[in-house]
Amino acid sequence: MQNIHTPHLLIVDDEHAHLKTLERLFTRQKYHVSCAKDGQEALDILRKQHIHLLITDLMMPGQVDGMDLLALTKKLSPDTEVILMTAFGTVERAVQGMKEGAYDFITKPIKRDAILKSASKALERQALIAENKALKATITKITNQQNETPLVGQSSALRKITSLARQVARSNTTVLLTGESGTGKELIAKLIQQHSERSNAPFLTVNCAALPESILESELFGYEKGAFTGASQRRTGRFEAAHQGTLFLDEIGELSPQVQVKLLRVLQNGSFERLGSNQPVNVDVRIIAATNRDLEEELKQGNFREDLFYRLNVVNIELPPLRHRREDIPLLAEHFLRKYNAKNNKQIKSLSQTSSNALNHYNWPGNVRELENIIERAVVLDQDNLIDVDDLPAHIAQHQNDVQRSISIPLGTPLEEIERMVIMETLKLTGGNKKMAAQMLGIAARTIYRKL
């Protein structure tokens, strides 16, 4: 059984005797070795297995030679290091290969010490890059904690959002947070409050979709004794309770027309009336609103007041869905793993590579909230201190072998349209390189041209 820490090498050469010699050499050095007789066979292995180091002959028969295989490897598995083997007459091409991402080239006849040294250094470089990425992630995590940032991630999209939130925090302007459910709108609202001059004042949340209209109005504005049956004493509403602080109104698109009018007055005048009273109450409250609805479409439908929309939408911060910041998925998964380890008194060490692949390639319609739910479930069900695909729901586990891209095709789509979609998405992956796309799809380049 292969040790997960043992580097996996793939050696490619059309000379059978030379291929077997290299296989024996690296096997004696305790590497896990796979072999391929040509570029196409190597490509099949790269699609199915994680390869740390590819050692390939430069000149090979067939549709995929060494240079093609180098380019395809960097597309399918960017972290894989590549060493080219070349005859004296093709050194110039090998040098070009290094410019295109190869780690090194070795001239034939291959010397034992030279190939072993080159392979060792290539794997050291790969380990160093991986360590550097992990260190950057740790530094980002620590920096986030020091800055009281409640968000986990290091993607450029998240950095832009947090930067804008901190900038807006210094003002008292109203902020509208938009985006799909589960993207972290309340966390951004808290971040704005933490970095504002109101950081030591109350931060209160009201979910406008969770309460009926009559209860929501009294929850926001309070009521006087005798305002309705059962009102035995005066009750302070959230606006009064949040005086000099921040009030976060989640799902603002669910407000009834009557409550919209009262909210508009607060935004315009800083005052409101409790239910059962005609005496104005003055407050100093910053409003941060959030919605997963398209409020401009709600305006057109007559479901939301135009004047209220413009009062709320002074600064709009749109949160990206998790599928648009996939580089944050591993960090979020580790964060939730630690959280639910502690909560459930578990000692789960990590996620397996296959379970990580499944999480990374799933589309996450429920966004971060869905990911948290999945990790909590996995922690509770796990029995061997390693989150593997069998700890994940089936609809997520099926993505464990996905590669760089995947596409969703509705049932009933004509085969001709499916073929077109697959070809076009593969061309996007290869940057428009038709020959490379044909090699990845296992068809002739002329077929690509004909289909286009």
Side-chain angles (χ1 to χ4, degrees), residues 173-187:
T173 192
T174 304
V175 180
L176 179 63
L177 305 176
T178 56
E180 297 177 10
S181 292
T183 50
K185 293 186 284 293
E186 184 171 353
L187 293 180

Side-chain angles (χ1 to χ4, degrees), residues 181-451:
S181 292
T183 50
K185 293 186 284 293
E186 184 171 353
L187 293 180
I188 289 292
K190 288 180 178 177
L191 178 65
I192 292 172
Q193 191 261 356
Q194 288 170 358
H195 289 268
S196 73
E197 294 179 353
R198 300 172 184 262
S199 58
N200 294 321
F203 176 89
L204 301 180
T205 298
V206 177
N207 188 323
C208 302
L211 300 171
E213 178 187 343
S214 58
I215 297 177
L216 177 61
E217 190 171 354
S218 63
E219 185 73 19
L220 289 173
F221 306 111
Y223 53 81
E224 295 288 348
K225 180 180 178 180
F228 50 83
T229 304
S232 57
Q233 60 184 9
R234 173 191 285 181
R235 181 163 189 251
T236 300
R238 293 299 181 97
F239 270 99
E240 282 183 87
H243 181 58
Q244 296 185 332
T246 304
L247 182 60
F248 175 56
L249 300 178
D250 199 7
E251 304 297 350
I252 195 77
E254 306 296 329
L255 287 181
S256 69
Q258 181 180 343
V259 178
Q260 287 182 39
V261 171
K262 295 195 74 168
L263 177 58
L264 178 62
R265 181 179 176 185
V266 180
L267 291 171
Q268 288 175 328
N269 307 323
S271 67
F272 63 92
E273 296 167 359
R274 300 187 193 97
L275 292 177
S277 171
N278 57 8
Q279 295 297 314
V281 178
N282 296 315
V283 289
D284 171 21
V285 175
R286 182 185 196 165
I287 300 295
I288 301 176
T291 181
N292 59 11
R293 290 194 176 198
D294 182 346
L295 287 189
E296 294 191 39
E297 183 60 32
E298 295 296 311
L299 291 180
K300 295 175 185 176
Q301 300 294 330
N303 299 326
F304 204 83
R305 293 181 63 98
E306 186 176 15
D307 45 7
L308 177 57
F309 171 73
Y310 290 118
R311 283 283 179 179
L312 292 170
N313 195 38
V314 178
V315 175
N316 175 228
I317 300 179
E318 184 174 1
L319 276 69
L322 186 56
R323 61 184 172 276
H324 290 171
R325 55 184 187 100
R326 291 186 183 275
E327 57 267 53
D328 291 337
I329 293 174
L331 288 174
L332 284 163
E334 289 293 336
H335 169 75
F336 293 135
L337 177 60
R338 289 193 300 273
K339 175 180 176 179
Y340 290 105
N341 261 342
K343 186 175 180 179
N344 295 283
N345 197 28
K346 290 280 195 109
Q347 301 293 326
I348 300 172
K349 297 175 183 177
S350 63
L351 288 84
S352 70
Q353 185 62 53
T354 50
S355 63
S356 294
N357 286 343
L359 296 177
N360 289 340
H361 292 97
Y362 178 60
N363 217 33
W364 298 110
N367 294 295
V368 179
R369 189 180 294 134
E370 183 183 8
L371 175 59
E372 180 174 6
N373 176 272
I374 292 301
I375 297 299
E376 181 180 11
R377 174 188 183 275
V379 168
V380 170
L381 296 179
D382 180 73
Q383 296 180 347
D384 58 3
N385 288 338
L386 178 70
I387 301 296
D388 209 345
V389 287
D390 57 356
D391 299 311
L392 303 177
H395 69 284
I396 295 177
Q398 68 183 358
H399 294 272
Q400 62 180 293
N401 294 319
D402 289 359
V403 288
Q404 295 292 310
R405 296 266 178 97
S406 62
I407 58 175
S408 177
I409 300 174
L411 290 173
T413 303
L415 287 174
E416 185 177 357
E417 176 64 12
I418 293 173
E419 185 181 61
R420 186 192 69 80
M421 291 168 66
V422 172
I423 290 174
M424 296 307 294
E425 286 302 314
T426 305
L427 281 169
K428 286 181 185 177
L429 181 60
T430 63
N433 187 319
K434 297 178 182 63
K435 180 183 176 184
M436 187 184 295
Q439 291 167 336
M440 293 180 75
L441 293 170
I443 59 178
R446 63 180 178 272
T447 304
I448 290 277
Y449 284 95
R450 180 167 55 81
K451 294 292 183 183

Side-chain angles (χ1 to χ4, degrees), residues 75-147:
K75 288 289 183 183
L76 291 171
S77 178
D79 294 335
T80 298
E81 296 291 353
V82 180
I83 296 175
L84 300 172
M85 298 182 292
T86 180
F88 182 76
T90 56
V91 168
E92 191 173 323
R93 285 199 72 199
V95 172
Q96 180 61 34
M98 291 187 67
K99 292 179 182 178
E100 294 179 13
Y103 172 76
D104 196 6
F105 71 90
I106 303 290
T107 55
K108 291 183 175 181
I110 302 297
K111 295 181 180 178
R112 176 185 179 279
D113 291 342
I115 191 71
L116 289 176
K117 183 177 180 180
S118 181
S120 177
K121 287 187 173 296
L123 291 167
E124 283 178 14
R125 177 178 182 271
Q126 184 183 66
L128 188 61
I129 290 172
E131 186 179 341
N132 190 37
K133 284 182 180 178
L135 182 60
K136 282 184 177 179
T138 302
I139 291 172
T140 300
K141 196 183 302 177
I142 293 171
T143 303
N144 284 349
Q145 291 169 351
Q146 289 174 342
N147 292 330

Side-chain angles (χ1 to χ4, degrees), residues 30-64:
K30 308 302 181 183
Y31 292 111
H32 177 59
V33 181
S34 295
C35 294
K37 64 181 181 300
D38 56 36
Q40 190 60 57
E41 185 179 348
L43 192 56
D44 291 339
I45 294 172
L46 281 162
R47 286 195 186 102
K48 298 172 184 175
Q49 302 181 51
H50 177 65
I51 301 298
H52 295 89
L53 175 62
L54 169 69
I55 302 175
T56 178
D57 193 10
L58 187 61
M59 303 298 291
M60 292 184 292
Q63 290 188 352
V64 183

